[in-house]
Amino acid sequence: MNLQAGVSKKITIAPSGYAKPGVGEQGQAWWKQAVVYQVYPRSFNDSNNDGIGDINGITEKLDYIASLGVDVIWLNPIFMSPNHDNGYDISDYKRIMPEFGTLADFENMLAQAHDKGLKVILDFVPNHCSSEHEWFQQARQSRDNPYRDFFHWWPAEKGLPPKRWSFFAVDASAWRYEKKTNSYYLHYFSATQPDLNWENPAVRQAMYQIMHFWLKKGVDGFRMDVLPFISKDTAFPELPASFQGDFVKYYAQGPHLQQYLAEMYDQVLSHYNIMTVAEGTGVTTDTVMNFIDPKRKALNLLYHDEGMNLGYLPNQFKTLPESGYKLTEFKQLYTKWNDAVKSAWGSVCLGNHDQARMVSRWGNDSEAYREVSAKMLMTFLLTMRATPFFYAGDELAMSNIGFDDISDYRDIETLNMYQQIKENGGDLHAFIESQKITARDNSRTPFQWGTQAFAGFSEAKPWIRVNPNYKTVNAAEQQTRKNSPLNYFRKLIQLRKQTPALLHGEYQLLDADNPDVFVYLRQHQSQFVLVALNFKADKSAFDAQGWIRRKRLLGNYKSDNMELSQLRPYEAIVMEVTS
Ligand code: TEU
Ligand code: CA
């Protein structure tokens, strides 16, 4: 062991970045210290037993959420919507979807959340609305309708529009022909989600006004859906011949992005002490600072999809190889993102409503390892230098349902892709096999509260099937069990909050080439915390690179592990170290 090497390593992570005003210890913005808990309202708790989760259902469970120690609730869209894409197709941005309740229900929920010290951020969808929105209903009537320019049109007399793929359309095209005005409209997502034309100042003003409307009600910020898409090259050039389908590169982060962000900042965001998070589809470490650089007028945080897509086979729809993903790539990726946002602030997540369950995708959901590997992944999220985002149910180690029958699926992405493959004579069996692992509906099954019928989510048959493992995997059972994932999650959050090195210390990757163990150091002033995570079902060794254990802070095994450099299957340890 080379002690000197250890010492010089410490110097490379000296807390020099903390001198800057606003980023330093004193100037820690609340959203940097927060833990975010994402609630998918449709699946969380059903208060009126119609099988659909709702706002009053969330209100009933605020004490549970507060008991976790999280700070912020992010609600998926709750606005008026025909629900072709579960609320990501908004038909009225200022009204609550009746299935979820009323504006009064929302205001009550918000007030009660605030009383319990919880903040609430809403999911705002600026890139597209529902085809049932009044704006689109008007716009499609005639070419000279006042709302015509709220959307992107391609007049058919110009010929076929240049190829653009859609995420969800069965015919794969992002252009849809409308006979009435002999034009095509643009929809990057389904045909029921026409893209709004941000070039039009009236669209931008309408959006800012909607944001003010909710912020004045006291909401604590927004998650902004596919924000990079709001600026496009509206000349819609032909794609290069060599084009391989990586379409977000051509579709998003257009020439006016910075202008729109700055305008939104000036006219809306800067007037409130809020948390603003961009969904960063297609954003790389080269462009992330355009969205979150504190020196710019922009947002606070961005979460990227690069992490979510890790391991997928190229040119195949959300398909993982048998061998899964490579930990070395995982480590490299999160280290690269940590470094890229050093002068701003990062966010970290391993799942959400668009992804598989965290433990199934990144851990091991077999009976033997489901809990221990879920705790290991929680440890990762709560010890990185970034604001962690958890998806409701992660704290219980809820796992994929893995539907194998298309009739069980509810999600437009799966249903339309299935139809597309069917029409093209593709391999439907292979598609279903891959969806069992990666489908979005895996995370959308009802929250598992207890052992009663429908897991206590509802007394009526839920809109989507409950995972049959609810008899053993549920909150009631875990509440009283000392070492349950739920109670481990609570302890871990407290540890993060009490440990300056974990909250805002510098991050440094150790033992980078180790294929089984993720080891890193967090350091704040004289406090050094080492985190070691075994991502494998076997015992794994790692190199602590000269760091000596002083005190174990937390681990996911009951008994202490006295060997610093040997970890048991999926073991996670957090310890204070010294050189
Ligand atoms: O998702 C953005 C997005 O790019 C999705 O296509 C995502 O990559 C895909 O679901 C992964 O399988 C956002 C929302 O989070 C998603 O729920 C919406 O369906 C989508 O935008 C359209 O609003
Ligand atoms: Ca309901």
Side-chain angles (χ1 to χ4, degrees):
M1 177 178 82
N2 181 349
L3 244 186
Q4 210 47 46
V7 172
S8 69
K9 278 204 174 66
K10 275 191 294 185
I11 291 164
T12 63
I13 59 164
S16 56
Y18 287 107
K20 285 192 216 81
V23 187
E25 244 185 303
Q26 271 75 40
Q28 287 290 342
W30 64 264
W31 43 264
K32 289 185 184 172
Q33 313 207 1
V35 177
V36 181
Y37 185 75
Q38 182 190 350
V39 168
Y40 200 66
R42 183 164 292 272
S43 304
F44 195 59
N45 186 35
D46 177 15
S47 71
N48 61 348
N49 296 313
D50 63 355
I52 298 170
D54 45 54
I55 290 171
N56 287 339
I58 300 169
T59 310
E60 285 173 6
K61 298 295 183 182
L62 286 174
D63 281 332
Y64 170 80
I65 298 175
S67 81
L68 300 173
V70 301
D71 307 279
V72 181
I73 301 172
W74 150 25
L75 287 185
N76 288 93
I78 54 171
F79 315 107
M80 189 72 97
S81 167
N83 282 307
H84 293 294
D85 188 18
N86 288 359
Y88 285 95
D89 46 331
I90 299 173
S91 54
D92 188 336
Y93 286 80
K94 291 186 186 165
R95 288 173 66 195
I96 303 285
M97 146 185 354
E99 284 175 335
F100 286 179
T102 62
L103 190 57
D105 294 337
F106 175 73
E107 286 170 339
N108 174 43
M109 192 222 82
L110 185 64
Q112 290 203 37
H114 285 165
D115 281 349
K116 295 176 201 300
L118 293 165
K119 296 188 188 289
V120 177
I121 67 171
L122 296 183
D123 209 316
F124 183 62
V125 188
N127 178 66
H128 45 268
C129 62
S130 163
S131 51
E132 292 183 23
H133 195 293
E134 175 66 18
W135 298 333
F136 192 71
Q137 289 300 319
Q138 291 269 348
R140 71 193 335 180
Q141 297 308 323
S142 68
R143 288 193 182 184
D144 57 7
N145 186 282
Y147 288 97
R148 186 72 176 177
D149 287 342
F150 267 49
F151 301 90
H152 297 282
W153 299 95
W154 184 271
E157 62 270 19
K158 279 170 71 178
L160 284 176
K163 178 81 200 155
R164 289 295 183 272
W165 280 271
S166 150
F167 278 93
F168 298 155
V170 176
D171 66 2
S173 171
W175 293 106
R176 171 88 156 205
Y177 180 69
E178 292 255 306
K179 200 163 169 224
K180 185 149 195 181
T181 58
N182 191 34
S183 311
Y184 299 82
Y185 68 87
L186 184 75
H187 61 89
Y188 280 176
F189 294 89
S190 83
T192 61
Q193 294 164 295
D195 282 47
L196 285 158
N197 176 17
W198 274 65
E199 307 289 296
N200 181 351
V203 166
R204 305 204 297 275
Q205 286 309 316
M207 288 290 145
Y208 303 155
Q209 213 227 331
I210 292 159
M211 296 172 108
H212 278 300
F213 175 84
W214 292 105
L215 290 167
K216 284 189 186 136
K217 294 207 176 295
V219 308
D220 302 287
F222 295 109
R223 175 263 192 196
M224 301 194 199
D225 190 57
V226 289
L227 192 66
F229 285 55
I230 60 174
S231 176
K232 315 169 159 78
D233 183 345
T234 51
F236 299 109
E238 290 291 346
L239 300 173
S242 60
F243 186 70
Q244 283 299 315
D246 178 14
F247 54 73
V248 289
K249 218 163 49 203
Y250 285 91
Y251 284 25
Q253 301 182 69
H256 299 134
L257 182 70
Q258 224 61 64
Q259 179 203 328
Y260 299 160
L261 294 182
E263 189 182 81
M264 187 196 291
Y265 181 88
D266 279 335
Q267 296 198 20
V268 187
L269 310 180
S270 60
H271 300 276
Y272 306 88
N273 178 19
I274 52 173
M275 175 182 206
T276 52
V277 192
E279 195 211 26
T281 303
V283 175
T284 62
T285 47
D286 293 333
T287 53
V288 59
M289 289 304 271
N290 294 337
F291 293 84
I292 61 166
D293 190 335
K295 294 196 283 298
R296 283 179 198 265
K297 295 173 170 184
L299 274 64
N300 305 142
L301 299 169
L302 174 139
Y303 73 86
H304 54 88
D305 58 3
E306 200 180 341
M308 293 295 142
N309 297 336
L310 184 79
Y312 285 159
L313 292 169
N315 303 321
Q316 285 186 51
F317 181 72
K318 294 177 80 169
T319 305
L320 285 164
E322 199 67 51
S323 56
Y325 67 97
K326 285 199 184 70
L327 182 69
T328 44
E329 290 176 2
F330 183 97
K331 299 197 287 188
Q332 242 170 40
L333 190 149
Y334 285 98
T335 303
K336 177 180 80 173
W337 275 90
N338 175 81
D339 297 347
V341 301
K342 244 184 158 169
S343 59
W345 193 251
S347 75
V348 62
C349 73
L350 289 175
N352 57 46
H353 66 291
D354 290 335
Q355 305 295 332
R357 281 279 165 191
M358 166 173 103
V359 67
S360 304
R361 173 74 160 92
W362 306 105
N364 183 329
D365 64 9
S366 70
E367 211 179 313
Y369 297 122
R370 187 180 50 80
E371 291 203 346
V372 73
S373 69
K375 290 175 183 171
M376 184 276 290
L377 297 170
M378 291 175 196
T379 314
F380 165 67
L381 292 170
L382 283 163
T383 58
M384 287 297 281
R385 184 177 189 270
T387 296
F389 283 66
F390 284 88
Y391 182 76
D394 285 348
E395 75 275 27
L396 307 177
M398 275 177 65
S399 56
N400 276 5
I401 191 160
F403 291 133
D404 54 13
D405 188 333
I406 191 67
S407 68
D408 283 325
Y409 283 95
R410 299 288 176 266
D411 178 18
I412 190 171
E413 178 173 272
T414 302
L415 298 176
N416 286 6
M417 193 57 68
Y418 184 89
Q419 200 53 36
Q420 189 185 113
I421 294 170
K422 196 172 167 186
E423 285 174 15
N424 295 332
D427 187 343
L428 285 172
H429 177 74
F431 174 67
I432 290 290
E433 283 307 301
S434 71
Q435 285 288 285
K436 276 158 74 173
I437 299 162
T438 65
R440 309 200 296 182
D441 276 342
N442 282 305
S443 63
R444 298 177 180 184
T445 63
F447 192 92
Q448 294 163 206
W449 294 103
T451 53
Q452 57 278 55
F454 308 122
F457 162 76
S458 177
E459 284 168 20
K461 190 174 171 220
W463 67 279
I464 188 170
R465 271 175 55 195
V466 177
N467 192 318
N469 70 11
Y470 75 93
K471 294 262 182 209
T472 48
V473 183
N474 62 71
E477 187 279 325
Q478 294 195 23
Q479 195 72 264
T480 47
R481 179 157 52 98
K482 202 164 156 268
N483 291 306
S484 65
L486 174 59
N487 285 321
Y488 182 80
F489 182 66
R490 290 171 167 148
K491 268 188 260 172
L492 200 47
I493 289 185
Q494 292 320 313
L495 179 69
R496 179 179 175 88
K497 297 203 158 156
Q498 291 156 11
T499 314
L502 292 181
L503 210 49
H504 39 244
E506 295 284 322
Y507 160 93
Q508 191 195 348
L509 177 66
L510 303 179
D511 204 6
D513 299 331
N514 191 317
D516 308 316
V517 185
F518 196 168
V519 200
Y520 46 93
L521 200 63
R522 300 291 313 279
Q523 181 242 326
H524 178 71
Q525 293 169 356
S526 60
Q527 185 182 44
F528 293 84
V529 173
L530 187 142
V531 181
L533 310 168
N534 183 5
F535 274 69
K536 297 293 151 76
D538 303 307
K539 275 191 177 174
S540 306
F542 70 96
D543 179 0
Q545 289 183 234
W547 294 94
I548 298 161
R549 172 164 114 161
R550 260 191 51 204
K551 187 177 159 207
R552 178 186 194 261
L553 298 173
L554 196 63
N556 61 351
Y557 272 74
K558 259 190 218 153
S559 59
D560 199 358
N561 184 353
M562 296 309 292
E563 277 176 89
L564 174 56
S565 56
Q566 265 284 345
L567 294 177
R568 291 163 282 188
Y570 297 106
E571 183 161 13
I573 38 175
V574 185
M575 59 194 138
E576 264 190 49
V577 292
T578 181
S579 59

Short mmCIF file of all heavy atoms in Angstrom, two decimals, residues 399-439:
data_model
loop_
_atom_site.label_atom_id
_atom_site.label_comp_id
_atom_site.label_asym_id
_atom_site.label_seq_id
_atom_site.Cartn_x
_atom_site.Cartn_y
_atom_site.Cartn_z
N SER A 399 -40.51 -4.61 -7.53
CA SER A 399 -39.80 -5.11 -8.72
C SER A 399 -40.73 -5.18 -9.93
O SER A 399 -41.94 -5.00 -9.82
CB SER A 399 -39.21 -6.48 -8.41
OG SER A 399 -40.23 -7.36 -7.97
N ASN A 400 -40.15 -5.48 -11.07
CA ASN A 400 -40.91 -5.59 -12.34
C ASN A 400 -42.02 -6.61 -12.25
O ASN A 400 -41.83 -7.70 -11.68
CB ASN A 400 -39.99 -6.06 -13.47
CG ASN A 400 -39.20 -4.93 -14.10
OD1 ASN A 400 -39.27 -3.79 -13.65
ND2 ASN A 400 -38.46 -5.26 -15.13
N ILE A 401 -43.14 -6.31 -12.89
CA ILE A 401 -44.20 -7.31 -13.00
C ILE A 401 -43.93 -8.22 -14.20
O ILE A 401 -44.25 -9.41 -14.19
CB ILE A 401 -45.59 -6.64 -13.06
CG1 ILE A 401 -46.70 -7.68 -12.92
CG2 ILE A 401 -45.79 -5.83 -14.34
CD1 ILE A 401 -48.04 -7.13 -12.50
N GLY A 402 -43.34 -7.69 -15.23
CA GLY A 402 -42.97 -8.49 -16.40
C GLY A 402 -44.16 -9.13 -17.11
O GLY A 402 -44.18 -10.34 -17.36
N PHE A 403 -45.13 -8.31 -17.49
CA PHE A 403 -46.30 -8.84 -18.23
C PHE A 403 -45.82 -9.60 -19.47
O PHE A 403 -44.99 -9.09 -20.22
CB PHE A 403 -47.19 -7.70 -18.73
CG PHE A 403 -47.91 -6.94 -17.66
CD1 PHE A 403 -47.90 -5.55 -17.66
CD2 PHE A 403 -48.64 -7.59 -16.67
CE1 PHE A 403 -48.59 -4.82 -16.70
CE2 PHE A 403 -49.34 -6.87 -15.71
CZ PHE A 403 -49.31 -5.48 -15.73
N ASP A 404 -46.42 -10.78 -19.70
CA ASP A 404 -46.05 -11.47 -20.94
C ASP A 404 -47.19 -11.54 -21.94
O ASP A 404 -47.09 -12.15 -22.99
CB ASP A 404 -45.47 -12.87 -20.66
CG ASP A 404 -46.41 -13.70 -19.82
OD1 ASP A 404 -47.58 -13.30 -19.66
OD2 ASP A 404 -45.96 -14.74 -19.31
N ASP A 405 -48.30 -10.86 -21.58
CA ASP A 405 -49.44 -10.84 -22.48
C ASP A 405 -49.74 -9.38 -22.85
O ASP A 405 -49.93 -8.55 -21.96
CB ASP A 405 -50.65 -11.47 -21.75
CG ASP A 405 -51.83 -11.67 -22.67
OD1 ASP A 405 -51.96 -10.91 -23.67
OD2 ASP A 405 -52.63 -12.58 -22.39
N ILE A 406 -49.83 -9.12 -24.13
CA ILE A 406 -50.01 -7.72 -24.56
C ILE A 406 -51.27 -7.10 -23.97
O ILE A 406 -51.34 -5.89 -23.74
CB ILE A 406 -49.96 -7.61 -26.11
CG1 ILE A 406 -49.89 -6.14 -26.57
CG2 ILE A 406 -51.12 -8.33 -26.77
CD1 ILE A 406 -48.63 -5.42 -26.22
N SER A 407 -52.27 -7.94 -23.66
CA SER A 407 -53.53 -7.39 -23.14
C SER A 407 -53.37 -6.81 -21.73
O SER A 407 -54.24 -6.07 -21.26
CB SER A 407 -54.63 -8.45 -23.15
OG SER A 407 -54.31 -9.45 -22.20
N ASP A 408 -52.30 -7.15 -21.05
CA ASP A 408 -52.08 -6.56 -19.72
C ASP A 408 -51.45 -5.17 -19.79
O ASP A 408 -51.48 -4.42 -18.82
CB ASP A 408 -51.14 -7.46 -18.90
CG ASP A 408 -51.89 -8.67 -18.35
OD1 ASP A 408 -53.08 -8.51 -18.01
OD2 ASP A 408 -51.28 -9.75 -18.29
N TYR A 409 -50.84 -4.86 -20.92
CA TYR A 409 -50.16 -3.57 -21.03
C TYR A 409 -51.16 -2.44 -21.23
O TYR A 409 -52.19 -2.61 -21.86
CB TYR A 409 -49.17 -3.58 -22.21
CG TYR A 409 -47.89 -4.34 -21.88
CD1 TYR A 409 -47.74 -5.68 -22.21
CD2 TYR A 409 -46.85 -3.71 -21.21
CE1 TYR A 409 -46.58 -6.38 -21.90
CE2 TYR A 409 -45.68 -4.40 -20.89
CZ TYR A 409 -45.56 -5.73 -21.23
OH TYR A 409 -44.42 -6.40 -20.92
N ARG A 410 -50.83 -1.27 -20.68
CA ARG A 410 -51.66 -0.08 -20.80
C ARG A 410 -50.93 1.05 -21.52
O ARG A 410 -51.53 2.02 -21.94
CB ARG A 410 -52.08 0.42 -19.40
CG ARG A 410 -52.89 -0.58 -18.60
CD ARG A 410 -54.31 -0.70 -19.17
NE ARG A 410 -55.07 -1.72 -18.48
CZ ARG A 410 -55.17 -2.99 -18.88
NH1 ARG A 410 -54.55 -3.39 -19.99
NH2 ARG A 410 -55.89 -3.87 -18.20
N ASP A 411 -49.61 0.95 -21.59
CA ASP A 411 -48.80 2.07 -22.04
C ASP A 411 -48.79 2.22 -23.56
O ASP A 411 -48.54 1.27 -24.30
CB ASP A 411 -47.36 1.85 -21.53
CG ASP A 411 -46.42 2.95 -21.98
OD1 ASP A 411 -46.90 4.03 -22.38
OD2 ASP A 411 -45.19 2.71 -21.93
N ILE A 412 -49.03 3.46 -24.00
CA ILE A 412 -49.05 3.78 -25.43
C ILE A 412 -47.74 3.39 -26.11
O ILE A 412 -47.75 2.97 -27.29
CB ILE A 412 -49.34 5.30 -25.62
CG1 ILE A 412 -49.62 5.65 -27.07
CG2 ILE A 412 -48.22 6.17 -25.08
CD1 ILE A 412 -50.13 7.08 -27.28
N GLU A 413 -46.63 3.51 -25.40
CA GLU A 413 -45.34 3.17 -26.02
C GLU A 413 -45.31 1.69 -26.39
O GLU A 413 -44.97 1.31 -27.51
CB GLU A 413 -44.17 3.50 -25.07
CG GLU A 413 -42.82 3.11 -25.63
CD GLU A 413 -41.65 3.60 -24.77
OE1 GLU A 413 -41.20 4.73 -24.99
OE2 GLU A 413 -41.20 2.86 -23.88
N THR A 414 -45.68 0.83 -25.44
CA THR A 414 -45.67 -0.61 -25.69
C THR A 414 -46.73 -0.99 -26.72
O THR A 414 -46.45 -1.74 -27.67
CB THR A 414 -45.93 -1.38 -24.38
OG1 THR A 414 -44.93 -1.00 -23.44
CG2 THR A 414 -45.89 -2.88 -24.60
N LEU A 415 -47.94 -0.45 -26.55
CA LEU A 415 -49.05 -0.85 -27.43
C LEU A 415 -48.78 -0.44 -28.88
O LEU A 415 -48.98 -1.23 -29.81
CB LEU A 415 -50.37 -0.26 -26.93
CG LEU A 415 -50.80 -0.74 -25.53
CD1 LEU A 415 -52.07 -0.02 -25.08
CD2 LEU A 415 -51.01 -2.26 -25.49
N ASN A 416 -48.30 0.80 -29.06
CA ASN A 416 -48.06 1.26 -30.43
C ASN A 416 -46.85 0.57 -31.06
O ASN A 416 -46.85 0.27 -32.25
CB ASN A 416 -47.91 2.78 -30.47
CG ASN A 416 -49.25 3.48 -30.30
OD1 ASN A 416 -50.26 2.82 -30.03
ND2 ASN A 416 -49.28 4.78 -30.43
N MET A 417 -45.85 0.33 -30.26
CA MET A 417 -44.67 -0.37 -30.78
C MET A 417 -45.04 -1.80 -31.17
O MET A 417 -44.59 -2.32 -32.19
CB MET A 417 -43.58 -0.36 -29.70
CG MET A 417 -42.20 -0.77 -30.17
SD MET A 417 -41.56 0.23 -31.52
CE MET A 417 -41.33 1.80 -30.71
N TYR A 418 -45.87 -2.41 -30.38
CA TYR A 418 -46.35 -3.77 -30.67
C TYR A 418 -47.07 -3.79 -32.03
O TYR A 418 -46.82 -4.63 -32.89
CB TYR A 418 -47.30 -4.22 -29.56
CG TYR A 418 -47.81 -5.65 -29.69
CD1 TYR A 418 -47.09 -6.71 -29.13
CD2 TYR A 418 -48.99 -5.94 -30.36
CE1 TYR A 418 -47.55 -8.02 -29.23
CE2 TYR A 418 -49.46 -7.25 -30.47
CZ TYR A 418 -48.74 -8.28 -29.89
OH TYR A 418 -49.19 -9.57 -29.99
N GLN A 419 -47.95 -2.80 -32.20
CA GLN A 419 -48.71 -2.69 -33.44
C GLN A 419 -47.78 -2.47 -34.63
O GLN A 419 -47.96 -3.08 -35.69
CB GLN A 419 -49.70 -1.53 -33.29
CG GLN A 419 -50.88 -1.54 -34.24
CD GLN A 419 -51.64 -2.86 -34.22
OE1 GLN A 419 -51.78 -3.48 -33.16
NE2 GLN A 419 -52.09 -3.32 -35.39
N GLN A 420 -46.81 -1.62 -34.40
CA GLN A 420 -45.85 -1.32 -35.47
C GLN A 420 -45.09 -2.58 -35.90
O GLN A 420 -44.96 -2.87 -37.09
CB GLN A 420 -44.87 -0.25 -34.97
CG GLN A 420 -43.96 0.32 -36.03
CD GLN A 420 -42.93 1.29 -35.45
OE1 GLN A 420 -41.75 1.02 -35.45
NE2 GLN A 420 -43.39 2.42 -34.92
N ILE A 421 -44.63 -3.33 -34.92
CA ILE A 421 -43.86 -4.55 -35.21
C ILE A 421 -44.77 -5.57 -35.91
O ILE A 421 -44.37 -6.23 -36.87
CB ILE A 421 -43.24 -5.12 -33.91
CG1 ILE A 421 -42.19 -4.14 -33.38
CG2 ILE A 421 -42.62 -6.49 -34.13
CD1 ILE A 421 -41.66 -4.45 -32.01
N LYS A 422 -46.00 -5.63 -35.44
CA LYS A 422 -46.97 -6.56 -36.04
C LYS A 422 -47.20 -6.21 -37.51
O LYS A 422 -47.14 -7.08 -38.39
CB LYS A 422 -48.28 -6.45 -35.25
CG LYS A 422 -49.23 -7.59 -35.50
CD LYS A 422 -50.39 -7.49 -34.53
CE LYS A 422 -51.50 -8.42 -34.97
NZ LYS A 422 -52.68 -8.25 -34.15
N GLU A 423 -47.43 -4.93 -37.77
CA GLU A 423 -47.71 -4.51 -39.15
C GLU A 423 -46.51 -4.73 -40.06
O GLU A 423 -46.66 -4.94 -41.26
CB GLU A 423 -48.14 -3.04 -39.19
CG GLU A 423 -49.57 -2.88 -38.70
CD GLU A 423 -50.03 -1.44 -38.58
OE1 GLU A 423 -49.38 -0.52 -39.13
OE2 GLU A 423 -51.07 -1.22 -37.91
N ASN A 424 -45.31 -4.66 -39.47
CA ASN A 424 -44.10 -4.87 -40.28
C ASN A 424 -43.65 -6.33 -40.30
O ASN A 424 -42.57 -6.64 -40.79
CB ASN A 424 -42.95 -4.00 -39.77
CG ASN A 424 -43.26 -2.53 -39.95
OD1 ASN A 424 -44.00 -2.15 -40.86
ND2 ASN A 424 -42.71 -1.70 -39.08
N GLY A 425 -44.46 -7.19 -39.72
CA GLY A 425 -44.10 -8.61 -39.69
C GLY A 425 -42.86 -8.91 -38.85
O GLY A 425 -42.13 -9.86 -39.12
N GLY A 426 -42.63 -8.11 -37.82
CA GLY A 426 -41.46 -8.31 -36.96
C GLY A 426 -41.67 -9.41 -35.92
O GLY A 426 -42.70 -10.07 -35.90
N ASP A 427 -40.70 -9.56 -35.06
CA ASP A 427 -40.70 -10.65 -34.08
C ASP A 427 -41.41 -10.20 -32.80
O ASP A 427 -40.79 -9.62 -31.89
CB ASP A 427 -39.24 -11.03 -33.80
CG ASP A 427 -39.15 -12.27 -32.91
OD1 ASP A 427 -40.17 -12.63 -32.27
OD2 ASP A 427 -38.06 -12.87 -32.87
N LEU A 428 -42.68 -10.49 -32.71
CA LEU A 428 -43.47 -10.04 -31.56
C LEU A 428 -43.06 -10.75 -30.27
O LEU A 428 -43.09 -10.17 -29.19
CB LEU A 428 -44.97 -10.27 -31.82
CG LEU A 428 -45.60 -9.29 -32.80
CD1 LEU A 428 -47.02 -9.72 -33.14
CD2 LEU A 428 -45.59 -7.87 -32.24
N HIS A 429 -42.68 -12.00 -30.40
CA HIS A 429 -42.26 -12.75 -29.23
C HIS A 429 -41.02 -12.10 -28.60
O HIS A 429 -40.96 -11.86 -27.39
CB HIS A 429 -41.98 -14.21 -29.59
CG HIS A 429 -41.48 -15.00 -28.43
ND1 HIS A 429 -42.32 -15.41 -27.40
CD2 HIS A 429 -40.23 -15.43 -28.11
CE1 HIS A 429 -41.60 -16.06 -26.51
NE2 HIS A 429 -40.34 -16.09 -26.91
N ALA A 430 -40.07 -11.78 -29.45
CA ALA A 430 -38.84 -11.14 -28.95
C ALA A 430 -39.17 -9.79 -28.31
O ALA A 430 -38.59 -9.42 -27.28
CB ALA A 430 -37.84 -10.96 -30.09
N PHE A 431 -40.11 -9.07 -28.91
CA PHE A 431 -40.49 -7.77 -28.37
C PHE A 431 -41.07 -7.93 -26.96
O PHE A 431 -40.67 -7.23 -26.02
CB PHE A 431 -41.51 -7.08 -29.29
CG PHE A 431 -42.06 -5.80 -28.73
CD1 PHE A 431 -41.24 -4.69 -28.57
CD2 PHE A 431 -43.40 -5.70 -28.37
CE1 PHE A 431 -41.74 -3.50 -28.04
CE2 PHE A 431 -43.91 -4.52 -27.84
CZ PHE A 431 -43.08 -3.42 -27.68
N ILE A 432 -42.00 -8.86 -26.80
CA ILE A 432 -42.60 -9.07 -25.48
C ILE A 432 -41.54 -9.52 -24.46
O ILE A 432 -41.54 -9.07 -23.31
CB ILE A 432 -43.78 -10.08 -25.56
CG1 ILE A 432 -44.97 -9.45 -26.30
CG2 ILE A 432 -44.22 -10.55 -24.18
CD1 ILE A 432 -45.69 -8.32 -25.55
N GLU A 433 -40.65 -10.37 -24.90
CA GLU A 433 -39.58 -10.80 -23.98
C GLU A 433 -38.78 -9.59 -23.48
O GLU A 433 -38.46 -9.49 -22.30
CB GLU A 433 -38.64 -11.80 -24.68
CG GLU A 433 -39.21 -13.20 -24.80
CD GLU A 433 -39.71 -13.78 -23.46
OE1 GLU A 433 -38.91 -13.89 -22.52
OE2 GLU A 433 -40.93 -14.08 -23.37
N SER A 434 -38.47 -8.68 -24.39
CA SER A 434 -37.68 -7.53 -23.95
C SER A 434 -38.52 -6.56 -23.12
O SER A 434 -38.02 -5.96 -22.16
CB SER A 434 -37.03 -6.83 -25.15
OG SER A 434 -38.01 -6.15 -25.91
N GLN A 435 -39.81 -6.44 -23.44
CA GLN A 435 -40.67 -5.56 -22.66
C GLN A 435 -40.86 -6.05 -21.21
O GLN A 435 -41.04 -5.26 -20.29
CB GLN A 435 -42.04 -5.41 -23.33
CG GLN A 435 -42.00 -4.49 -24.55
CD GLN A 435 -41.82 -3.04 -24.15
OE1 GLN A 435 -42.72 -2.37 -23.68
NE2 GLN A 435 -40.60 -2.53 -24.34
N LYS A 436 -40.80 -7.37 -21.04
CA LYS A 436 -40.90 -7.90 -19.67
C LYS A 436 -39.83 -7.28 -18.78
O LYS A 436 -40.01 -7.10 -17.59
CB LYS A 436 -40.72 -9.43 -19.68
CG LYS A 436 -42.02 -10.16 -19.99
CD LYS A 436 -41.82 -11.54 -20.53
CE LYS A 436 -41.38 -12.58 -19.54
NZ LYS A 436 -41.40 -13.93 -20.18
N ILE A 437 -38.73 -6.95 -19.40
CA ILE A 437 -37.61 -6.39 -18.63
C ILE A 437 -37.61 -4.87 -18.64
O ILE A 437 -37.33 -4.23 -17.64
CB ILE A 437 -36.28 -6.95 -19.19
CG1 ILE A 437 -36.29 -8.46 -19.03
CG2 ILE A 437 -35.08 -6.35 -18.48
CD1 ILE A 437 -35.29 -9.17 -19.88
N THR A 438 -37.96 -4.25 -19.79
CA THR A 438 -37.75 -2.80 -19.89
C THR A 438 -39.01 -1.95 -20.03
O THR A 438 -38.92 -0.72 -20.05
CB THR A 438 -36.83 -2.46 -21.08
OG1 THR A 438 -37.48 -2.82 -22.30
CG2 THR A 438 -35.50 -3.19 -20.99
N ALA A 439 -40.20 -2.56 -20.14
CA ALA A 439 -41.41 -1.76 -20.37
C ALA A 439 -41.68 -0.75 -19.26
O ALA A 439 -41.40 -0.99 -18.09
CB ALA A 439 -42.62 -2.67 -20.50
#
